[in-house]
Amino acid sequence: MQTLNQDIKNNSFKPVYLLYGEEAFLKNSYKNQMKSAITQGDTMNFNQFGGKSIDVKELISLADTMPFFSEKRLILVEDSGFFKAAAEELVNYLPQMPDTTCMVFVESEVDKRSKMFKKVKELGYAAEMERQDINQLARWAGTLLSREGKKVTGQTMELFLNMTGDDMENIRMELEKLICFTLGRDIITDEDVMAICTERTTNKIFDMVTSIVNRQTKRALELYEDLLTLKEPPMRIMFLIARQFNQLLQVKELMGKGMDKGGIAAKLKIPPFAAGKLMPQARTFSREQILSYVNSCVEAEEAVKTGRLSDRMAVELLLTAKY
C-alpha cells in the first residue's frame, strides 16, 4: 500500500488500479482517498459503475471521453466480476486508454491468473487489502485513541481486540463507543472495554465449542440461545461452528508439524491471539473427533436443505451430540 500512499501524496496517478482483498475498511478508505485526490470534488469528470452487468462498450466510450476543464477523468468500477470472468475487450482496450483517464477497480473476488489481473499489474498497480495482524491493528487503534487524547495499556488493547476481532470497521465503531463512554477521562481501562464493547459472535462460537469440548451441553445451549436472541440465524451459527472445527483441524495438523503460534497465525492468516486460543482447543480433540464433528456439520446442513430437520433443531442436535 506504500505505492498508493505515495501516488496520493504526489498527486501522480497510474492509468489503472485494482483494490482487492478481505479488508473492506481499507478498500473503502483508499477508494475514497483516491477519488478525493483525483477529482478534487469535481463530479463532472467522475463516473461510477457497479455490478456484474456493466456495459463494457459504455465504459470504454466514457474512458475515451476527454475530461471537461480538468486534467483527469476518474472511472470507478466496483464488483464487476471482470477479474473472475473473461473480459477480453477491456483487456485489449486498457493499453490504448488515454492518459487523461484513470480507472480504479474495487473487487471482492479476484483470480490472479486472469488476463485482467495481469494487465492491471502490467499497466498500473494492484493492491491487496489483507486483514491486518494484531500489532498493526493495535498501532492503528492506538493512533485513533491518541488523537482523542485517550491512553490505553497493552493489556487493555489486547482485551479490546480479542473482543472486537480483526475487522477494522468494527474496531472503528467500537472505538467510537469507548471514546464517548470515557468522556472526561484520559485512561481507558479493562472495565470500560468490558462495559461498553460488543463481544463478536465468533467469540461466543469459540465459547460454545469450548463447552462442547468440556461436555458442558447446558452451557453450549445457553450460548446458542444468546445468539438467537441477538438475531443470529441458525444457519449462520452452524456455518461458524463448522468453520471453527475446520480451523481446529488445520491448527492440529500444523501443530503436528511443529509450528508455533506465530507460524500457525501466518499460515492460516488469523491474528496470533486467535491462534493462541485455538491451539489448546486443538490439543483437547483427537483428529478423528474433529473430523467427525466436521462431517456432522455437513450432514446437519444437508438435513436442513432437504427438509428433514428445521435449522434450529439441526444446530441443537449438533450441540448435544456426543463424540
Side-chain angles (χ1 to χ4, degrees), residues 251 255 260-266 268 270-280:
V251 168
M255 286 169 62
D260 61 8
K261 182 173 72 173
I264 290 172
L268 300 184
I270 59 176
F273 67 77
K277 289 177 69 176
L278 285 166
M279 290 170 74

Side-chain angles (χ1 to χ4, degrees), residues 10 42 75 87 90 100 103 172 181 191 224 270 277 320:
N10 297 336
D42 172 20
I75 298 179
L90 198 52
T100 52
M103 201 173 288
R172 184 191 63 79
F181 185 71
E191 289 73 22
Y224 180 43
I270 59 176
K277 289 177 69 176
T320 56

Side-chain angles (χ1 to χ4, degrees), residues 1 19-30 106-108 127-133 137 140 165-171:
M1 290 179 284
L19 311 179
Y20 71 102
E22 292 183 345
E23 185 45 77
F25 178 88
L26 285 177
K27 284 193 293 186
N28 285 328
S29 177
Y30 276 104
V106 182
E107 301 288 331
S108 300
E128 183 172 9
M129 308 296 178
E130 296 181 303
R131 296 282 191 188
Q132 303 295 285
D133 67 31
L137 291 172
W140 176 67
D166 59 356
D167 182 278
M168 294 178 74
E169 180 59 28
N170 186 53
I171 291 172

